[in-house]
């Protein structure tokens, strides 16, 4: 299942990150993963939340630039070499990883990784064929 | 300092007026016959060439504008058949499209005279070594100064712009005595010369600097750094190029070459001619130009004219350094920039929606800086930095291709660009040049 990731444009000014996070908190939106990509002038904050539609709506109301994109969640065996195996599967199927980051929480003995691919649908398809477990937001909250 | 054409440059005012009247009558008549737009504007005012009997009738004539050069691009305003046009030059227009000007052989010779008068006023003659560090090409600076230096019989060193180390090496080895470039480049050269410690190896005596605004403080700094006297030169491609007016050793205003150009100062809002000495928009009429003549051309430069006799002996009226513009044009590193040109680039990038933007012009180490801040929008935003950087680069590249200028482009959050009464403030110029 594809996960809807909420990305936010952040100007490099102090207080900007806390402003976004506060808006989400006030609206009872729970964050289960986040990553920041930054340059000298701005950053892109990426969030996995329990209610992406609501998050998009409340942030846009505050005139914050938001974009929702499809990513996938991969549950990786928490052992040496396990991530490498998955990356090889993707590579062998001409899929690239644009970025990835870890998720708070675990499912059994797996680490949870959020991944953006050049073709998320195909990536999901390939991984399920190779019996690599994927997860969606609901699963995270079961831990 | 020698006066290159004393019989003209020191002509009694009455005679200048008489000469201007004769030439104006000639110009109006031939333009009415050969330039469609001028004929239309005369007809709209119910004017015939016979109604213009001398300079006293000048204010009756219709104005011409930079927009005309765009509307009749490229050759629609030329007053002679193309076989008589021996050279064209071009500069940037208000919205990306360049404007084109043309010269007959006689025009080129008169232009050379203008620049020869300037070089002579700085002490130049056939013994001079004139280094021309203006860009050569469609820009009028390089070739304009080149022809003037050739006319005076000097040894011309056509280095063109760029490559500072080699410019200085050339200056030292070839024994340049006069330097022509933009004032900011002169400053830059001055600093590089200090760093290289070669000031005492220079033979430079004078510099002729123009094509962008500069201050008296800058003049003092350039004179000190290069050990020269720095002269201001004024010009614009539409009228001729550098040498429309020139400074003498008194350094108190630039003498307008009144045998070729009649200056007027008008109120930019009403178009009325202002009393002598008042500050307003500078308007030029070219009374000798054959190829591309203009009547009452609105330069948009704000300045005043001084008819007092100059101590140098020249009788030509002096204009002071322009103190501003009556439109929104900026001069950045010698390039004419209209905010609308940048707006057009952004419009294309934003997918037919102009994002909010602000242009910040500053000066660092005596070089103009151009910063363009663009408010991030849904259309431009992406979840990865790579795509955003691609947009920034695209804006930067297109600004470079439209203006020929490098800009720093920064994407900022929405609503962060300062607004005054609901309208965004588009340009912030922190250079304090006037």
């Amino acid at each position: 299942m594809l996960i809807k990731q909420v990305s936010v444009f952040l100007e490099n000014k102090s207080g900007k990150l806390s402003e976004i996070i506060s808006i989400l908190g006030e609206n009872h939106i729970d964050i289960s993963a986040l990553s920041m990509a930054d340059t000298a002038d701005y950053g892109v904050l990426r969030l996995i939340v329990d209610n992406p539609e609501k998050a998009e709506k409340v942030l846009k109301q505050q005139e914050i630039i938001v974009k929702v994109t499809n990513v996938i969640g991969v549950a990786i065996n928490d052992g040496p070499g396990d991530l490498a195996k998955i990356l090889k599967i993707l590579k062998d199927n001409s899929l690239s990883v644009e970025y990835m980051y870890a998720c708070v929480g675990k499912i059994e003995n797996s680490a949870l990784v959020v991944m953006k691919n050049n073709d998320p649908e195909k990536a999901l398809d390939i991984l399920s064929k190779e019996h690599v477990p994927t997860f969606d937001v609901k699963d995270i909250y079961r831990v | 300092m020698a006066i290159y054409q004393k019989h003209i440059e020191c002509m009694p005012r009455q005679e200048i007026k008489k000469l201007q009247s004769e030439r104006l009558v000639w110009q109006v008549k031939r333009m009415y016959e050969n330039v469609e737009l001028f004929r239309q504007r005369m007809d709209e005012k119910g004017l015939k060439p016979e109604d213009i009997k001398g300079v006293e009738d000048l204010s009756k004539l219709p104005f011409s504008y930079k927009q005309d050069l765009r509307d009749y691009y490229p050759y629609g305003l030329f007053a002679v058949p193309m076989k008589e046009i021996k050279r064209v030059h071009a500069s940037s227009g208000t919205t990306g499209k360049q404007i084109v000007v043309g010269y007959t052989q006689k025009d080129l010779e008169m232009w050379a005279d203008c620049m020869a008068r300037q070089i002579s006023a700085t002490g130049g003659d056939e013994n001079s070594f004139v280094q021309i560090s203006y860009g050569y090409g469609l820009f009028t600076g390089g070739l304009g100064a080149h022809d003037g230096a050739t006319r005076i019989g000097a040894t011309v060193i056509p280095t063109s712009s760029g490559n500072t180390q080699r410019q200085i090496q050339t200056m030292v080895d070839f024994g340049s005595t006069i330097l022509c470039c933009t004032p900011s480049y002169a400053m830059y050269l001055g600093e590089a010369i200090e760093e290289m410690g070669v000031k005492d190896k220079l033979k430079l005596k004078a510099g002729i600097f123009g094509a962008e605004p500069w201050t008296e403080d800058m003049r003092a700094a350039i004179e000190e750094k290069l050990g020269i006297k720095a002269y201001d030169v004024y010009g614009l491609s539409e009228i001729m190029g550098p040498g429309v007016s020139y400074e003498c050793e008194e350094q108190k205003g630039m003498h307008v070459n009144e045998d070729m150009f009649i200056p007027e100062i008008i109120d930019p809002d009403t178009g009325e001619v202002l009393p002598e000495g008042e500050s307003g928009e500078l308007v030029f009429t070219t009374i000798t130009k054959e190829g591309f003549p203009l009547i009452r051309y609105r330069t948009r430069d704000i300045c005043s004219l001084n008819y007092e006799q100059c101590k140098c002996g020249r009788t030509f009226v002096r204009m002071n350094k322009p103190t501003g513009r009556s439109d929104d044009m900026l001069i950045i590193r010698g390039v004419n920039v209209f905010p609308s040109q940048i707006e057009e680039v952004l419009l294309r990038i934003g997918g037919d929606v102009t994002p909010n933007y602000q242009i910040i012009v500053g000066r660092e180490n005596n070089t103009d800086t151009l910063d363009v801040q663009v408010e991030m929008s849904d259309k431009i935003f992406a979840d990865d930095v790579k795509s955003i950087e691609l947009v920034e680069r695209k804006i930067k590249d297109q600004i470079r291709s439209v203006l020929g200028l490098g800009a720093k482009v920064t994407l900022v959050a929405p609503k962060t660009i300062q607004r005054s009464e609901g309208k965004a403030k588009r340009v912030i110029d922190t250079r304090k040049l006037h």
Side-chain angles (χ1 to χ4, degrees):
Chain A
M1 188 155 170
L2 292 169
I3 299 177
K4 289 197 183 311
Q5 170 190 262
V6 178
S7 306
V8 180
F9 177 75
L10 269 186
E11 220 188 342
N12 244 359
K13 276 185 187 157
S14 71
K16 286 285 159 192
L17 178 62
S18 107
E19 185 190 322
I20 308 284
I21 302 297
S22 303
I23 294 169
L24 295 176
E26 283 156 18
N27 288 280
H28 312 290
I29 294 163
D30 200 14
I31 301 166
S32 54
L34 90 175
S35 100
M36 276 275 287
D38 66 313
T39 71
D41 302 309
Y42 58 84
V44 178
L45 173 66
R46 303 173 190 124
L47 299 158
I48 303 297
V49 296
D50 57 347
N51 191 343
E53 288 79 13
K54 190 178 172 191
E56 184 185 9
K57 199 177 130 224
V58 297
L59 290 171
K60 278 198 168 158
Q61 276 168 358
Q62 303 292 320
E63 302 192 35
I64 289 159
I65 298 279
V66 186
K67 197 174 194 105
V68 176
T69 29
N70 287 331
V71 292
I72 58 171
V74 189
I76 303 171
N77 267 331
D78 203 358
D82 293 326
L83 177 60
K85 266 181 235 158
I86 292 166
L87 293 177
K88 188 172 182 308
I89 295 171
L90 294 172
K91 180 178 158 275
D92 292 345
N93 287 281
S94 335
L95 283 160
S96 63
V97 179
E98 289 174 5
Y99 53 81
M100 57 191 271
Y101 52 98
C103 211
V104 184
K106 271 191 170 187
I107 300 175
E108 287 166 13
N109 197 31
S110 301
L112 306 182
V113 165
V114 176
M115 199 182 268
K116 168 80 186 287
N117 301 94
N118 53 337
D119 186 345
E121 284 87 358
K122 188 181 164 193
L124 205 59
D125 200 39
I126 301 276
L127 291 175
S128 74
K129 271 183 199 148
E130 297 283 338
H131 309 292
V132 174
T134 55
F135 65 91
D136 75 15
V137 184
K138 279 185 251 89
D139 299 322
I140 306 171
Y141 292 91
R142 266 192 254 125
V143 267
Chain B
M1 304 285 179
I3 297 176
Y4 182 65
Q5 288 170 315
K6 202 166 181 177
H7 61 291
I8 300 170
E9 293 171 80
C10 302
M11 200 182 258
R13 293 284 327 158
Q14 273 308 315
E15 279 181 46
I16 293 175
K17 216 175 157 188
K18 202 171 144 246
L19 183 69
Q20 287 180 332
S21 289
E22 281 164 21
R23 290 179 169 176
L24 177 67
V25 169
W26 168 82
Q27 186 68 285
V28 167
K29 183 170 180 289
R30 64 184 287 275
M31 279 183 69
Y32 190 83
E33 283 160 11
N34 300 313
V35 183
E36 187 202 326
L37 177 67
F38 180 66
R39 185 165 55 242
Q40 271 174 25
R41 289 202 174 139
M42 288 284 280
D43 290 347
E44 276 164 25
K45 284 192 160 233
L47 279 172
K48 291 284 165 221
E50 308 83 81
D51 297 329
I52 307 303
K53 297 186 174 70
V55 283
E56 63 280 7
D57 296 321
L58 186 62
S59 61
K60 292 179 185 165
L61 289 164
F63 288 118
S64 48
Y65 307 87
K66 192 161 197 164
Q67 181 63 33
D68 300 342
L69 279 79
R70 270 195 82 212
D71 295 345
Y72 288 79
Y73 176 87
Y75 303 140
L77 296 175
F78 289 7
V80 296
M82 283 311 287
K83 70 176 197 312
E84 287 178 42
I85 295 289
K86 301 305 170 195
R87 199 199 291 164
V88 291
H89 278 284
S91 78
S92 60
T94 46
T95 52
K97 201 177 196 177
Q98 58 187 354
I99 55 160
V100 182
V101 296
Y103 306 79
T104 63
Q105 190 55 43
K106 201 176 153 217
D107 292 338
L108 290 171
E109 278 163 24
M110 296 207 111
W111 184 13
D113 278 341
C114 288
M115 276 312 287
R117 289 174 193 174
Q118 165 76 87
I119 296 167
S120 182
T122 69
D125 56 24
E126 65 274 16
N127 298 311
S128 304
F129 293 79
V130 183
Q131 179 166 341
I132 294 157
S133 308
Y134 279 120
Y136 278 64
L138 285 172
F139 172 53
T140 50
L143 284 165
H146 180 103
D147 288 352
T150 303
R151 167 64 48 112
I152 212 160
T155 305
V156 182
I157 308 171
T159 48
S160 194
S161 52
N163 200 340
T164 305
Q165 298 295 316
R166 195 185 295 166
Q167 293 272 1
I168 295 167
Q169 200 59 55
T170 304
M171 206 178 281
V172 171
D173 294 350
F174 297 7
S176 308
T177 58
I178 296 174
L179 172 68
C180 300
C181 64
T182 58
S184 57
Y185 194 56
M187 268 304 252
Y188 190 73
L189 283 171
E191 272 155 18
I193 285 165
E194 267 179 2
E195 269 172 38
M196 289 164 75
V198 293
K199 189 180 166 186
D200 50 355
K201 289 187 183 145
L202 297 179
K203 295 207 173 75
L204 275 187
K205 292 189 181 72
I208 299 167
F209 307 122
E212 64 185 21
W214 53 313
T215 58
E216 286 302 323
D217 288 347
M218 259 178 98
R219 188 201 308 256
I222 292 169
E223 291 189 335
E224 201 270 311
K225 283 187 169 41
L226 291 169
I228 57 167
K229 199 158 172 172
Y231 295 85
D232 199 358
V233 61
Y234 175 88
L236 61 168
S237 316
E238 298 94 305
I239 298 304
M240 185 67 105
V244 171
S245 59
Y246 60 103
E247 214 169 44
C248 63
E249 69 268 20
E250 297 299 319
Q251 295 179 315
K252 286 200 177 103
M254 295 171 278
H255 290 283
V256 177
N257 280 305
E258 283 186 281
D259 54 328
M260 305 183 209
F261 316 109
I262 308 177
E264 293 172 277
I265 295 291
I266 63 156
D267 178 328
D269 298 324
T270 64
E272 293 296 316
V273 177
L274 294 172
E276 221 175 279
E278 272 190 34
S279 181
E281 185 182 330
L282 180 63
V283 170
F284 275 116
T285 296
T286 66
I287 47 175
T288 51
K289 231 168 143 205
E290 298 174 332
F292 174 57
L294 283 169
I295 298 285
R296 305 195 82 201
Y297 181 72
R298 306 274 302 252
T299 66
R300 301 289 173 190
D301 279 326
I302 302 290
C303 73
S304 62
L305 295 173
N306 177 6
Y307 286 91
E308 265 173 50
Q309 169 72 46
C310 182
K311 282 193 191 124
C312 73
R314 289 177 186 81
T315 49
F316 283 168
V317 66
R318 280 170 290 166
M319 59 178 270
N320 68 346
K321 242 181 222 307
T323 54
R325 299 274 306 171
S326 69
D327 63 6
D328 57 359
M329 189 182 90
L330 298 156
I331 302 178
I332 304 171
R333 280 172 250 152
V335 178
N336 297 350
V337 174
F338 290 91
S340 56
Q341 292 173 297
I342 292 171
E343 186 163 325
E344 223 172 71
V345 166
L346 297 175
L347 186 71
R348 283 200 295 266
I349 304 262
D352 288 332
V353 188
T354 315
N356 259 314
Y357 68 95
Q358 192 164 55
I359 299 164
I360 301 160
V361 189
R363 188 162 271 184
E364 260 170 46
N365 303 321
N366 295 301
T367 304
D368 295 335
T369 56
L370 171 62
D371 279 49
V372 181
Q373 296 197 337
V374 184
E375 280 187 3
M376 185 51 110
S377 68
D378 290 334
K379 273 220 152 78
I380 303 173
F381 185 58
D383 59 319
D384 60 322
V385 171
K386 199 172 55 195
S387 310
I388 300 173
E389 281 179 340
L390 210 65
V391 173
E392 282 184 329
R393 196 171 323 138
K394 219 162 128 187
I395 296 173
K396 221 173 140 153
D397 288 349
Q398 294 204 15
I399 289 176
R400 182 178 284 285
S401 94
V402 169
L403 302 177
L405 267 183
K408 180 175 186 279
V409 175
T410 314
L411 293 165
V412 298
K415 309 281 167 196
T416 52
I417 286 175
Q418 189 189 332
R419 282 162 176 76
S420 50
E421 289 163 20
K423 210 178 162 212
K425 202 166 185 299
R426 293 296 182 209
V427 180
I428 295 180
D429 194 337
T430 59
R431 292 177 294 181
K432 298 189 178 69
L433 288 169
H434 304 298

